[in-house]
Amino acid sequence: MRTALARLLGLLAAFVLRALGRAGTTVPGRVALAADPNFTADRRARIDGPVAVVSATNGKTTTSALIAAALGRDFSVVGNFEGANMAGGIASSLIRFPARDELAGLFEVDEFWLGDVATDLSPDIVLLGNLFRDQLDRYGELDTILERWHEAVGGLHAGGSAFVACADDPGIAWVLRDLPDEAVTWFGCTAGSVDLGRLPHAADSDACRRCGEPLEYSAVYLGHLGDWSCSSCGLQRPTLDFELTAFTPRGAKAIAIDLKGPDGLRSLSLPLPGLYNAYNAISAWAVCSRLGLDPNSTAQAFSSTAAAFGRGEHFSLSGTDVQMLLVKNPTGANEVIRALADEPEGLTLQFILNDQIADGRDVSWIWDTDVDVLVPRIGRLICSGHRADEAALRFKYAGLPPERITVVDDPRLGLETAASTAEEVWVLPTYTAMLALRSGLTSEGVVEKVV
Amino acid sequence: MPTSSRLKVAVLYPDHLNIYADRGNLAFLQRRCEWRGIGFESVAVGFGESIPVNDANLIYIGGGQDRDQALCAGDLVGVKAAALKDWFANGQPLLAVCGGFQLLGLSYSGRNETIPGIAAADLETAAGSSRLIGPIAIRTDLGGPTDGVLAGFENHAGRTHLGPKATPLGRVIKGHGNDGESGFEGVRNGSSIGTYLHGPLLPKNWWLADWLIARSLGIEVEKLGDLDDDFERKAHLSAARAAGLNE
């Protein structure tokens, strides 16, 4: 009864917000939760099919899109696909269910709130993708999140959840240390061609969390993800159930990958850029496999999943091809840069640096990003956003001649400037910059509305 | 003070104390030296190693996660304290940011344990229940083209209290500063500076980088020679605006 009332209030809030022209991805859920603190758990109980939760620093939205595409072949999928991933956003996504009966749930959960939110969702599977140093002003130190996750996974496991987790991330292996082997499915990379040879500057985990000695890596694939071990205490990367065995980039627009799992080897082509999306794909693949989805169907779903908004999305702007690649922290930005290094020289790039809460108000992370490797490939750089001048400074000190840098504060005007002299423009926006630019382009009819 | 034609920075524990983009400060110093034809060299000083005080003319200490800071504190006190205390007492060029600043003091009292510092500066730090986070602007008496104003970002649980023998780097205009109450920010003795300002500090305050370079080389800052600092000035203004200054 209480849930029904909460739901009505949530619907009303959603209606009012829509009438006001607002997206309403969070507030209706907050209203429902205020009326019934058990709203999320009660509504979740009505989903008969599988329910999965995705959490990570990077890749939540794209990974969720891949899993949802596969689930969508058998079920109507309930989930927070607009990316509002805290309690209110998730409750909002539970207010209205599709008319069809066969429901499944797929929720991305903000890494800081995993314990609070995921427990209410009683997920069958929890995907723990990666944990990187992120907006320190918002999330605190990486160690804080690891400690919160360690607390959360115990409760989730007791509640019946199984885990799919990144074995290449020593922090995640440590988070799951108390769980029995059968509770965790491990995925990771074995593709030798993507070995960086050493930890990048932005890597976080260099000490063994059990004994404090430095970890050794026989291969480093992405940030601090790799084949790691501690020669002092013997802790090492867990044995992989699902492996990314090969990775071939097609410029910074698509990838071809080989996945090996208990059901054999499979080759996939995905219209998504970068090794980071190969990690997203194998994690999603492992989840779909554990949920019992048909592998052929999953493969088809993955191959036709377009990039989630702003994350490798491309569109045409009066004859110029525009590629938008979200950046939000050093490791993520490094991987976007790494993907761009597969493009020919002379790139026209727009870097949009905002400092709103969702971007991280502290913009110092751009100095931890290895923009240096991109500098020789840049023909022209447009810097935009609230902190455009500091973005320009970063590239100047990475060695880009100042005459190749133009500061145009307004993102839309900056894109116009970039597009005026190039057939192809790569836009690297922070989160709120991406939303603002997309919102403008949506009203112009250039891109489709998502949020 | 002897003059030198090369900037030699001793960077303490760069693998552990680097959390707030500390390498941006070093990259900034390096480029500004290179563009003027001044030699630049940085030496990493790790666990068990002593600070090359006869060779270096600038010491840099960054910040780290609690775990890393505790690791470094043990080594700092055990291996490097005497040299660093002398360095600070003489007011020789030093930039210590965040965790590095706290370690200059007597101790850091966390929630569970107290980490000893090297007691170079008369200050003490205790963790508060909340973090002091946000853009910050302070006024120093270092002059320069911004009339001593420095802009940056602070993010610290520690409340640092200066003792009677310590002089702050500056006074808070916007933001929290050492303890959120006193209005003091950082500590300074001559050319030795400790501060909570990161962001990183030097790219947001280009003239302070030059001040440090000049002090390290033992020359007047005017002798360094001008660079085109258009982006640098604007970046400072952008950081100052973020802190709430409208200059």
Side-chain angles (χ1 to χ4, degrees):
Chain A
M1 214 32 228
R2 199 170 176 194
T3 309
L5 178 65
R7 186 171 163 266
L8 277 176
L9 290 170
L11 279 169
L12 186 65
F15 179 78
V16 170
L17 286 168
R18 221 176 11 254
L20 293 171
R22 301 259 310 276
T25 54
T26 301
V27 173
R30 282 201 201 140
V31 168
L33 283 170
D36 175 9
N38 291 321
F39 179 77
T40 297
D42 290 344
R43 292 292 285 169
R44 185 270 176 253
R46 295 178 185 232
I47 302 174
D48 293 329
V51 170
V53 156
V54 173
S55 199
T57 305
N58 290 341
K60 290 184 287 288
T61 302
T62 300
T63 304
S64 298
L66 289 168
I67 300 170
L71 275 173
R73 296 184 156 237
D74 296 331
F75 301 93
S76 283
V77 188
V78 177
N80 54 334
F81 304 111
E82 297 87 6
N85 59 16
M86 295 186 244
I90 284 160
S92 294
S93 73
L94 290 163
I95 290 173
R96 297 178 66 135
F97 285 164
R100 263 169 60 191
D101 284 331
E102 299 276 307
L103 292 181
L106 195 275
F107 303 91
E108 70 158 87
V109 176
D110 183 274
E111 55 273 32
F112 195 78
W113 300 108
L114 179 69
D116 307 71
V117 176
T119 310
D120 285 344
L121 288 168
S122 308
D124 300 294
I125 300 276
V126 178
L127 168 60
L128 303 179
N130 53 64
L131 277 181
F132 298 114
R133 183 189 300 184
D134 199 8
Q135 303 153 13
L136 291 159
D137 55 315
R138 184 166 156 225
Y139 291 109
E141 300 178 346
L142 187 64
D143 286 350
T144 310
I145 309 260
L146 287 168
E147 204 38 56
R148 290 173 71 93
W149 275 26
H150 180 240
E151 282 171 31
V153 299
L156 286 163
H157 176 248
S161 299
F163 294 84
V164 170
C166 182
D168 295 356
D169 190 329
I172 289 185
W174 185 239
V175 159
L176 294 165
R177 64 190 180 274
D178 300 331
L179 297 196
D181 289 347
E182 64 273 15
V184 187
T185 298
W186 295 104
F187 68 88
C189 179
T190 55
S193 69
V194 294
D195 183 2
L196 293 168
R198 57 189 285 269
L199 285 173
H201 171 80
D204 306 280
S205 314
D206 53 0
C208 174
R209 289 176 195 277
R210 185 159 75 189
C211 73
E213 292 299 309
L215 288 178
E216 285 158 29
Y217 281 82
S218 62
V220 177
Y221 302 117
L222 190 166
H224 61 245
L225 307 186
D227 187 357
W228 55 274
S229 63
C230 175
S231 61
S232 175
C233 76
L235 199 67
Q236 59 179 347
R237 173 168 82 160
T239 306
L240 302 180
D241 301 295
F242 290 86
E243 284 174 48
L244 174 71
T245 57
F247 170 83
T248 313
R250 307 259 159 82
K253 292 173 184 168
I255 52 176
I257 55 175
D258 287 350
L259 307 178
K260 196 169 114 189
D263 37 10
L265 189 72
R266 189 169 289 266
S267 298
L268 291 179
S269 290
L270 302 174
L272 303 169
L275 179 63
Y276 59 105
N277 275 316
Y279 264 101
N280 292 339
I282 189 162
S283 69
W285 183 265
V287 169
C288 292
S289 174
R290 283 296 181 254
L291 290 176
L293 304 183
D294 171 58
N296 290 322
S297 173
T298 301
Q300 282 172 17
F302 281 19
S303 301
S304 56
T305 299
F309 61 101
R311 294 147 168 104
E313 182 180 27
H314 57 95
F315 52 87
S316 177
L317 184 69
S318 43
T320 299
D321 195 18
V322 182
Q323 314 277 334
M324 189 148 49
L325 297 165
L326 174 70
V327 292
K328 54 179 191 173
N329 51 38
T331 299
N334 279 347
E335 291 306 311
V336 164
I337 285 167
R338 193 173 167 190
L340 279 172
D342 286 314
E343 289 290 323
E345 287 182 13
L347 299 174
T348 297
L349 205 73
Q350 186 191 17
F351 193 92
I352 317 179
L353 181 61
N354 273 3
D355 63 353
Q356 303 300 102
I357 287 171
D359 305 296
R361 285 189 298 155
D362 182 2
V363 296
S364 62
W365 63 273
I366 60 173
W367 292 86
D368 277 331
T369 299
D370 295 320
V371 303
D372 315 54
V373 296
L374 196 55
V375 163
R377 314 196 83 80
I378 299 176
R380 186 171 189 211
L381 174 72
I382 312 293
C383 292
S384 304
H386 305 140
R387 306 299 283 272
D389 295 308
E390 290 174 74
L393 202 63
R394 174 69 187 103
F395 280 89
K396 177 181 171 184
Y397 280 77
L400 188 65
E403 58 271 21
R404 289 197 204 169
I405 308 173
T406 310
V407 174
V408 183
D409 290 341
D410 181 78
R412 184 62 186 84
L413 287 179
L415 179 55
E416 206 62 46
T417 306
S420 66
T421 55
E423 290 174 8
E424 185 167 57
V425 176
W426 298 86
V427 182
L428 274 53
T430 57
Y431 189 72
T432 69
M434 183 269 285
L435 291 186
L437 185 57
R438 271 197 108 266
S439 155
L441 293 167
T442 303
S443 52
E444 292 169 44
V446 177
V447 297
E448 273 181 44
K449 186 175 170 70
V450 179
V451 179
Chain B
M1 188 171 289
T3 60
S4 169
S5 59
R6 285 175 74 74
L7 185 68
K8 294 173 204 157
V9 192
V11 185
L12 271 50
Y13 319 106
D15 296 337
H16 291 84
L17 301 183
N18 61 19
I19 194 169
Y20 292 114
D22 291 289
R23 83 163 166 179
N25 285 326
L26 298 166
F28 204 76
L29 290 170
Q30 177 169 1
R31 289 286 187 193
R32 294 184 76 77
C33 284
E34 286 171 359
W35 288 333
R36 292 172 165 126
I38 300 168
F40 177 91
E41 190 184 338
S42 87
V43 188
V45 188
F47 294 118
E49 296 170 351
S50 48
I51 303 172
V53 285
N54 295 322
D55 195 34
N57 44 26
L58 174 63
I59 295 176
Y60 185 86
I61 318 175
Q65 298 204 61
D66 289 349
R67 185 169 58 117
D68 288 311
Q69 192 170 328
L71 273 176
C72 295
D75 185 80
L76 200 65
V77 170
V79 181
K80 301 174 177 68
L84 202 50
K85 277 174 87 159
D86 282 350
W87 190 276
F88 186 88
N90 296 333
Q92 289 173 271
L94 162 80
L95 181 57
V97 178
C98 212
F101 165 43
Q102 294 169 346
L103 291 173
L104 294 179
L106 303 169
S107 61
Y108 178 92
S109 306
R111 261 159 273 167
N112 307 317
E113 55 175 351
T114 295
I115 302 170
I118 60 162
D122 184 18
L123 57 90
E124 245 176 318
T125 304
S129 53
S130 61
R131 296 187 75 86
L132 304 177
I133 304 177
I136 174 170
I138 66 171
R139 187 176 298 282
T140 69
D141 58 8
L142 300 177
T146 66
D147 197 17
V149 172
L150 298 174
F153 198 93
E154 62 181 325
N155 182 352
H156 50 105
R159 270 63 166 174
T160 298
H161 300 285
L162 300 184
K165 282 176 273 178
T167 309
L169 168 64
R171 284 186 173 272
V172 175
I173 311 171
K174 300 276 183 183
H176 303 288
N178 283 351
D179 54 12
E181 292 168 356
S182 65
F184 293 142
E185 206 296 318
V187 69
R188 182 165 83 90
N189 182 41
S191 305
S192 285
I193 290 175
T195 179
Y196 276 120
L197 268 64
H198 69 268
L201 174 66
L202 299 181
K204 286 180 165 47
N205 303 281
W206 82 102
W207 60 269
L208 183 68
D210 287 352
W211 184 89
L212 272 174
I213 293 170
R215 290 287 178 119
S216 303
L217 302 182
I219 61 173
E220 295 297 315
V221 72
E222 291 76 20
K223 300 247 171 70
L224 277 182
D226 288 340
L227 296 172
D228 178 354
D229 287 326
D230 186 37
F231 284 142
E232 285 80 353
R233 285 169 197 279
K234 287 176 178 158
H236 170 79
L237 289 175
S238 151
R241 265 197 311 275
L245 290 190
N246 300 303
E247 288 180 46

